[in-house]
Amino acid sequence: MTNMEPTLTMEIKDNTFARQFEATVPEGLLSVEYSFQEKKIFLTKINTPENFENQSVIDILLKNIMELSTEKNFRVVPIHPKIAAFFKKNPKYKELLPPGIRI
């Protein structure tokens, strides 16, 4: 038996009023703040419930945001260090970066 990454179906809400993607986890609300500018989405901040340390759940949320960005043909600009680290761990999403941005 191989040790596979757990798959988690996560319902993500795009809260356009608060300008953040939101997902409810047992510990509370997990969100990624964003801003838009010329077909680019700037991912500026990750908000987690207090004492929330589950990086794999954060990665699932980010993967869902990348899929959404691909569908909508947006370029993704990672401002938050954890989001930049996500791109390093998941090179397949580097095609979403705008020209000239290296991670």
Side-chain angles (χ1 to χ4, degrees), residues 2 8 47 51 67 72 74-75 77 80 86 92 96:
T2 58
L8 179 64
N47 299 306
N51 299 323
E67 297 303 323
K72 295 185 184 284
F74 292 141
R75 294 289 181 181
V77 182
H80 193 280
F86 171 83
K92 72 177 185 176
L96 294 172

Side-chain angles (χ1 to χ4, degrees), residues 18-53:
R19 292 199 314 270
Q20 63 186 16
F21 294 104
E22 301 172 342
T24 303
V25 292
E27 297 84 353
L29 187 68
L30 183 60
S31 67
V32 176
E33 294 178 16
Y34 65 80
S35 64
F36 276 117
Q37 185 180 336
E38 300 168 6
K39 299 281 282 173
K40 292 187 196 99
I41 184 167
F42 293 77
L43 301 178
T44 56
K45 190 174 179 192
I46 298 174
N47 299 306
T48 58
E50 198 172 329
N51 299 323
F52 184 83
E53 298 288 325

